[in-house]
Amino acid sequence: MSWKMIAFAPRSVIEAALVAHEDALDWDPDIVLSGSEVAEDRPDDWQLEAWLSHKPKAADKAALAALFAGEVPAFAVEKLPDTDWLVASQQDLQPIRAGRFHVHTPDHPAISEPGLFDFTIPASQAFGTGQHATTAGCLAMLTHMKAQGVVVRNCADIGTGTGLLAFAALSLWPHALATASDIDAVCVDVVDANARTNGVPMGPGAGELVMTVADGMGHPLLAARGPYDLIMANILAGPLVSLAPDFGGALVPGGHLLLAGLLETQEAAVRAACRKAGLRLAARLVNGDWSILWLRKRRR
């Protein structure tokens, strides 16, 4: 069995708690957090949900309470059936259109239109089915970058999840070298299966994708296959700030960096870290509460 704790509070309070969670270096990885609107017609009423594999203990409750700077909202505790909640949450997802991309689960038909890239991404244990605002925003930004004449010969997708952004980049720049990495080893099989489903060739050559398990940019394969024309990272604001110098060092002069996974309220911190790393903003878009940033490395 698994357990869930849930509390309700204004949006600003929940968002502040999520930011505090990212900064909590000693956070128990077995406690998974999520913040969301209670309902579409109540955008300022949010809920914070915490999933645990065990009945919440006093230490778990104290860790959640410590995320709140002021009054701590009341948490309800619920016992849940033993379910893969990530997969369950992605069941019956509706197809999305973002830029030149149509992304859907196997439950929905493909679309064949000139200039449109269609991807089948099943619900899985990895993030990145396309339905989340950050992933859809990245697909739209990649489309915009291509339309602006960006040329990519070598790209990397850091925190790839399902592999979708790497697949998208190879669709737009079919002769590029492509490398994907994720900290979670489960993504290796997920990416391999999704590549087979979507006809994406795996391998080290041009137009092919190499997958590896890596924490950030600190892996010999990522170093050996760089420097890159394009690095994509749809992860979290905290790691994006920490990795900004590594991203800057791994890009060619004039290279491109696509960042997502940050709330609009976290954008200033991420952009400041990128400026220090020699990156300047080329374009941005906001999808819901999330910012998607296109940055370029200075040529000198």
Side-chain angles (χ1 to χ4, degrees):
M1 305 296 290
S2 56
W3 297 75
K4 181 173 78 169
M5 299 177 64
I6 183 169
F8 300 92
R11 169 181 168 177
S12 59
V13 173
I14 300 298
E15 286 186 342
L18 293 172
V19 172
H21 164 248
E22 290 186 18
D23 295 336
L25 299 179
D26 58 347
W27 186 261
D28 183 351
D30 287 336
I31 305 177
V32 179
L33 291 189
S34 173
S36 61
E37 293 178 354
V38 173
E40 289 187 5
D41 59 347
R42 296 162 57 190
D44 292 326
D45 295 333
W46 275 44
Q47 59 189 2
L48 182 71
E49 296 173 290
W51 286 271
L52 304 91
S53 60
H54 56 270
K55 185 176 181 179
K57 303 175 183 177
D60 302 321
K61 297 176 182 179
L64 287 170
L67 299 177
F68 296 89
E71 182 179 355
V72 179
F75 276 89
V77 178
E78 180 182 357
K79 193 175 185 180
L80 302 171
D82 191 9
T83 305
D84 188 329
W85 291 106
L86 180 56
V87 173
S89 70
Q90 295 177 354
Q91 298 294 340
D92 300 323
L93 293 175
Q94 295 301 308
I96 64 108
R97 292 281 293 263
R100 293 177 59 185
F101 300 96
H102 175 250
V103 186
H104 58 95
T105 64
D107 299 323
H108 298 275
I111 291 180
S112 179
E113 292 182 9
L116 182 72
F117 299 109
D118 185 279
F119 289 111
T120 302
I121 304 293
S124 73
Q125 293 178 307
F127 177 80
T129 59
Q131 277 72 16
H132 194 276
T134 59
T135 310
C138 286
L139 295 174
M141 187 65 85
L142 286 171
T143 300
H144 175 67
M145 293 167 69
K146 176 70 173 182
Q148 294 299 305
V150 170
V151 176
V152 175
R153 300 178 180 87
N154 190 8
C155 65
D157 181 11
I158 308 302
T160 190
T162 62
L164 177 56
L165 294 185
F167 300 165
L170 278 175
S171 298
L172 294 171
W173 297 281
H175 302 295
L177 296 170
T179 309
S181 71
D182 202 285
I183 194 172
D184 191 347
V186 75
C187 295
V188 174
D189 290 338
V190 171
V191 170
D192 187 63
N194 288 340
R196 290 196 304 271
T197 298
N198 292 282
V200 177
M202 301 293 291
E208 298 177 332
L209 176 65
V210 168
M211 173 68 191
T212 190
V213 177
D215 183 358
M217 298 297 293
H219 191 282
L221 179 67
L222 290 171
R225 287 177 63 85
Y228 301 96
D229 304 298
L230 168 65
I231 294 176
M232 302 166 284
N234 180 12
I235 43 179
L236 293 171
L240 291 178
V241 170
S242 300
L243 288 169
D246 295 334
F247 290 151
L251 285 168
V252 299
H256 308 271
L257 179 63
L258 175 59
L259 299 182
L262 58 145
L263 292 164
E264 191 176 4
T265 55
Q266 300 168 323
E267 182 179 332
V270 174
R271 288 175 60 176
C274 289
R275 281 195 300 272
K276 291 180 181 178
L279 299 154
R280 60 180 179 82
L281 185 70
R284 65 184 288 269
L285 66 85
V286 177
N287 196 0
D289 299 311
W290 303 90
S291 293
I292 293 87
L293 307 179
W294 168 20
L295 302 110
R296 297 196 67 181
K297 182 177 178 177
R298 295 188 181 93
R299 294 189 176 276
R300 297 193 178 192

